[in-house]
Amino acid sequence: MTCSRRRFLAAGASALAAMPVSKAGAVPAAAGAAVDASAEPTAPRGRPMFRYNNGRFRILQFTDLHNSYSTKKEYAKAEKTLDRIRLLLEQEKPDLAVITGDIIVNSGGKTPVGCELLEGGVAEGWARFTKPFEEAQVPFVTTFGNHDHDREKSVSAKEQLEMIRRSPMSRVYNADDSLPGAGNCSIPILGSDGTDAVRLWFIDSLSYPKRRELSSCAWIDYSQIQWYRRESANIETLAGRKVPGLMFFHIPVLEFNQMRDRSQTFGHYGEDADSSELNSGLFTSLIERGDVLGIFTGHDHNNDSLLQYKGIVMAYGRKTGYGGYGPHDQGGRLIELVEGSDGYRTCIVTPGRTDYPWYWRARPRE
Amino acid sequence: MTYTRRTFLTGAALALGAAAVGQQSSAVGQQAAGADKPVLKFKNGKFRILQMTDLHTAYNNPHEVAQAEMTVHKMREMLAKEKPDLAVVTGDMITSGVDLLDGGLEAAWENITRPFDQTNTPFVVTFGNHDHERDATMAEQLAMIARAKMNLTYSADPTHPGAGTCCLPILASDGGEAMRLWFFDSHSSPVIEGMGGYDWIRNEQIRWYRAESAKAEQRAGHPVPGLAFFHIPIPEFWVVHQSDAATGSAGETPGSPELNSGLFTSMIERGDILGIFVGHDHVNDYAALYKGIALVYGRKTGFGAYGDLERGGRVIELTEGKAGFDTHVSTPLREELYWSYWK
Ligand SMILES: [Fe+2]
Ligand SMILES: [Fe+2]
């Protein structure tokens, strides 16, 4: 997080110890995650798409890597973080990895780009980041975090997206170049019959508003919300029904503050959601459209919690990076889909462990 | 507010009635059509609005009939005292049944509009949750209201949910557009099942506001300062409620929708709205500034339903050429809670 100062919650830490813990395997592992080329066809307009893999589709969310290459100490942490990603990719063999932002940070604002020790600069920072996915042959999508926008003056978000897209395993793209930020896009998961079975949505939650006095964090822009609404309506028209969706972005929307009511909150909620102070209405638009069943964010490193609110599951990932503040056990969030099922599984994964397994059933509103 | 006592709504369909009737076109966003309609214009550099709210007139039993008569009398007293250039009634005008009234619903609306016609006071209404709680569609009810010669309420887009979401310019003395007033139907129970609380101002209404606001800016060459009126407070009222920023009574938690549809953020982004004026919570009458937009409750006017504050209204005084307003609560014998916001 840290759009502003860190706001810790009082009774946060104790919740972690009390939760049931199970060994890896609470979420059934998919057979053979090695992705062959035919599993990743390219859509007619050059748009990516995914397919169910033997009736399952497993997404591994990483978040807040906080890679930085301004000092040797940071450099070493970034290497550790990438090794943690390698280890978890090997352990979980997901069909897709989603990295929800704050991937390269600029050393606490002290350096402009955070890649000073790299000969190839920011481009090399991104190339190092994409390497583990190439080694494991796991396709991935990124959404930018506020810190990824910190070097806007030297390299724009759209330029950084092009650096990421150089990786053969990258699937992120700009659905509409006029939208703020970069990487606002949606990608289908196709069922065995070739139809749009699930829609994955990726939004750039931006960084700071022009008028800083309004809010420390920016809000998802009206144009991004209207883009989602239009796309969602088009998809419904084409499919003849609402297509279940999962949405990924970095900064939690204000509704995540509902997690303060611990009675319904699952997992570890260690700090208040550092959302924008202004609510631009994305969550309500998801309710109005009725197709998105889960929202997955990062940004608040002390949180890996989950709450089903008004029918939509709002979940934090587990922080993956060694840089910046946060948990001692860096990990990821696994999300498992089963073709034709209304049931969704998710859990937190760390080396050799699975925590907070959660299952929910949901379907788009008729 | 108190939601549970008000769940008479029989179905979502009520809120969705196509507003084909009572709609006046507003092609260039100028004042509603009809040459006979009054034009809102600054006089001697001033423009005075009287907001009345939560009339809660009902006609199910003799007690309610008597209260409705007292309420209409209070409206007359307020109009006589303040002589506004425009009156705005922000909802909950008729609650539940009209059994004991000859002429039924039409007569109930006529009781409300008559004081305006008799004093030649142009008026606009925004519907409250209770106004949605009957079999007549919102479009049908707006058509009944539109029979009053001083009525300026119309539906800018008949496809909008509810009725009466519209805007009106206030002209400068030289005839240009000085300010713009915005009116929204804030609906009743959510159309979507299982959401709880109240419905929210919907995406299509917000889209309409953004488009009209951009057009007004284009015509004027700058954002046109505006005021917005509707019945149910938006969730941003929760932030200022009982804060030091609030001047006036804060007797109950704002009965806002549980979901935030982003109207306030859109108004921030458009940069033209100075203040938002609501009703709904009878024991709140405060004004507070939040992120550059005034969040203001009216003073309850009606004798039906709960609330011990003295019945009256809120006066909003605009000054030509200046972005801001003076406001205070007014009752027949008193003025109080003076508050100003100048940008
Ligand atoms: Fe962040
Ligand atoms: Fe109300």
Side-chain angles (χ1 to χ4, degrees):
Chain A
M1 53 146 264
T2 30
C3 282
S4 58
R5 73 241 163 255
R6 287 148 60 157
R7 290 167 299 178
F8 289 99
L9 289 187
S14 60
L16 189 61
M19 300 313 301
V21 165
S22 63
K23 281 282 175 195
V27 175
V35 183
D36 63 25
S38 65
E40 303 302 325
T42 304
R45 290 177 317 181
R47 297 276 160 98
M49 51 180 70
F50 302 114
R51 277 182 200 283
Y52 270 104
N53 181 356
N54 294 322
R56 291 184 190 274
F57 195 84
R58 300 168 81 245
I59 302 168
L60 182 53
Q61 178 196 5
F62 298 110
T63 196
D64 294 82
L65 311 192
H66 279 251
N67 285 348
S68 189
Y69 303 92
S70 300
T71 66
K72 281 191 172 150
K73 203 175 151 196
E74 289 172 350
Y75 197 127
K77 281 187 181 174
E79 295 289 290
K80 251 177 105 176
T81 299
L82 294 174
D83 281 343
R84 178 55 54 110
I85 289 176
R86 285 187 178 93
L87 203 155
L88 290 170
L89 288 175
E90 173 60 27
Q91 176 178 307
E92 302 301 337
K93 301 186 180 7
D95 300 297
L96 168 70
V98 178
I99 307 90
T100 49
D102 281 0
I103 300 169
I104 303 180
V105 309
N106 67 351
S107 196
K110 288 193 281 290
T111 62
V113 295
C115 295
E116 283 69 17
L117 293 184
L118 300 180
E119 234 170 80
V122 179
E124 187 182 340
W126 286 113
R128 281 170 181 268
F129 155 73
T130 60
K131 206 81 186 287
F133 305 103
E134 290 152 20
E135 290 162 4
Q137 288 289 296
V138 173
F140 71 92
V141 177
T142 53
T143 67
F144 284 133
N146 48 310
H147 288 302
D148 299 310
H149 286 278
D150 279 347
R151 61 196 71 84
E152 208 93 16
K153 275 184 191 140
S154 36
V155 48
S156 72
K158 288 192 169 68
E159 285 166 335
Q160 294 195 83
L161 192 79
E162 286 319 306
M163 294 174 184
I164 295 166
R165 281 168 53 81
R166 281 179 205 158
S167 168
M169 298 319 289
S170 166
R171 298 291 181 271
V172 64
Y173 68 100
N174 276 323
D176 179 342
D177 280 324
S178 72
L179 297 178
N184 297 288
C185 62
S186 85
I187 306 181
I189 302 173
L190 303 183
S192 15
D193 60 355
T195 63
D196 208 331
V198 172
R199 246 319 140 145
L200 304 177
W201 299 90
F202 306 94
I203 306 256
D204 187 338
S205 57
L206 311 174
S207 55
Y208 317 104
K210 279 190 204 94
R211 289 173 58 198
R212 292 294 280 268
E213 76 278 11
L214 289 173
S215 170
S216 51
C217 285
W219 49 92
I220 290 171
D221 191 72
Y222 177 81
S223 60
Q224 294 169 288
I225 297 172
Q226 295 306 102
W227 165 78
Y228 153 72
R229 295 182 67 104
R230 277 195 312 273
E231 283 293 300
S232 160
N234 288 343
I235 291 162
E236 180 179 1
T237 306
L238 284 172
R241 60 186 161 77
K242 288 191 196 289
V243 174
L246 303 176
M247 187 173 269
F248 297 85
F249 49 88
H250 179 67
I251 302 175
V253 286
L254 261 163
E255 284 77 7
F256 273 60
N257 277 293
Q258 296 292 330
M259 291 188 188
R260 277 180 200 165
D261 172 10
R262 301 300 178 84
S263 63
Q264 304 295 316
T265 302
F266 185 66
H268 184 61
Y269 186 66
E271 61 184 315
D272 269 349
D274 183 44
S275 310
S276 167
E277 289 168 51
L278 288 175
N279 193 331
S280 53
L282 175 67
F283 189 89
T284 304
S285 272
L286 301 184
I287 293 282
E288 287 184 342
R289 287 292 314 149
D291 53 7
V292 168
L293 310 176
I295 305 172
F296 301 87
T297 70
H299 189 56
D300 298 319
H301 304 173
N302 288 322
N303 298 342
D304 61 17
S305 43
L306 173 160
L307 172 70
Q308 191 161 10
Y309 179 62
K310 310 275 183 207
I312 296 179
V313 164
M314 308 184 291
Y316 282 102
R318 166 67 70 86
K319 194 198 176 208
T320 312
Y322 284 84
Y325 77 99
H328 297 299
D329 207 2
Q330 281 76 359
R333 175 179 285 285
L334 192 67
I335 305 148
E336 190 177 53
L337 315 178
V338 176
E339 187 173 358
S341 162
D342 295 334
Y344 300 81
R345 269 180 212 285
T346 181
C347 62
I348 299 296
V349 294
T350 47
R353 272 174 71 113
T354 298
D355 290 299
Y356 305 127
W358 178 268
Y359 175 81
W360 85 100
R361 297 181 74 85
R363 58 168 63 162
R365 200 176 58 248
E366 310 266 299
Chain B
M1 50 148 267
T2 325
Y3 182 67
T4 44
R5 286 187 274 121
R6 304 169 165 179
T7 39
F8 298 108
L9 194 65
T10 48
L14 286 188
L16 289 168
V21 203
Q23 181 249 347
Q24 301 162 334
S25 80
S26 165
V28 287
Q30 289 301 310
Q31 193 136 338
D36 52 332
K37 285 291 174 193
V39 169
L40 307 180
K41 192 168 180 176
F42 275 96
K43 286 183 209 99
N44 304 318
K46 293 284 180 194
F47 191 88
R48 201 175 169 76
I49 300 169
L50 174 64
Q51 178 196 8
M52 295 187 275
T53 195
D54 292 84
L55 308 183
H56 279 256
T57 62
Y59 304 90
N60 287 311
N61 56 55
H63 178 66
E64 286 180 352
V65 173
Q67 279 183 326
E69 275 169 18
M70 282 166 72
T71 298
V72 172
H73 179 70
K74 182 68 75 178
M75 290 170 68
R76 289 182 199 281
E77 281 184 293
M78 292 308 303
L79 288 170
K81 180 187 175 189
E82 298 298 345
K83 300 183 177 54
D85 300 303
L86 172 72
V88 180
V89 188
T90 49
D92 279 1
M93 294 167 279
I94 303 172
T95 57
S96 71
V98 290
D99 296 356
L100 291 189
L101 193 61
D102 290 338
L105 189 56
E106 281 179 55
W109 282 116
E110 211 185 317
N111 282 348
I112 288 167
T113 61
R114 197 180 295 116
F116 303 120
D117 276 3
Q118 286 173 342
T119 56
N120 282 314
T121 308
F123 74 94
V124 179
V125 302
T126 67
F127 288 121
N129 48 310
H130 283 299
D131 301 312
H132 282 263
E133 286 165 357
R134 56 187 66 90
D135 291 335
T137 67
M138 302 324 290
E140 284 164 355
Q141 295 193 78
L142 184 53
M144 295 174 191
I145 294 164
R147 284 179 199 153
K149 72 174 196 292
M150 299 311 287
N151 170 62
L152 294 178
T153 322
Y154 67 103
S155 289
D157 182 340
T159 68
H160 283 165
T165 296
C166 63
C167 58
L168 294 169
I170 306 176
L171 304 183
S173 4
D174 69 2
E177 180 172 344
M179 289 187 82
R180 184 159 283 260
L181 304 175
W182 302 86
F183 307 93
F184 295 86
D185 187 336
S186 57
H187 318 296
S188 181
S189 306
V191 177
I192 299 170
E193 240 177 274
M195 285 306 122
Y198 289 99
D199 207 349
W200 45 89
I201 292 176
R202 305 262 274 283
N203 185 265
E204 48 266 59
Q205 294 170 283
I206 296 172
R207 199 166 57 214
W208 163 83
Y209 154 70
R210 293 183 69 110
E212 290 301 317
S213 157
K215 280 187 223 162
E217 176 175 353
Q218 219 164 23
R219 283 193 300 269
H222 56 82
V224 177
L227 306 178
F229 296 86
F230 45 88
H231 180 66
I232 300 179
I234 47 178
E236 280 76 8
F237 277 76
W238 285 330
V239 184
V240 297
H241 188 71
Q242 290 182 338
S243 76
D244 295 343
T247 302
S249 298
E252 61 182 317
T253 304
S256 308
E258 292 175 18
L259 288 175
N260 190 330
S261 56
L263 177 66
F264 185 84
T265 304
S266 273
M267 288 174 169
I268 291 275
E269 286 177 345
R270 288 295 315 142
D272 53 7
I273 300 295
L274 302 166
I276 294 170
F277 298 83
V278 302
H280 190 52
D281 300 315
H282 305 170
V283 293
N284 295 345
D285 64 4
Y286 59 80
L289 188 61
Y290 183 59
K291 298 195 187 291
I293 295 178
L295 301 179
V296 189
Y297 275 103
R299 168 63 71 87
K300 196 194 176 207
T301 311
F303 287 89
Y306 70 99
D308 291 332
L309 293 173
E310 189 184 346
R311 272 45 173 171
R314 177 176 283 283
V315 174
I316 305 151
E317 207 169 58
L318 307 173
T319 301
E320 188 172 354
K322 287 180 77 178
F325 58 89
D326 292 308
T327 183
H328 65 271
V329 165
S330 176
T331 53
L333 297 175
R334 284 205 309 164
E335 297 84 43
E336 59 183 325
L337 300 177
Y338 280 89
W339 196 85
S340 298
Y341 175 42
W342 298 102
K343 250 194 164 165

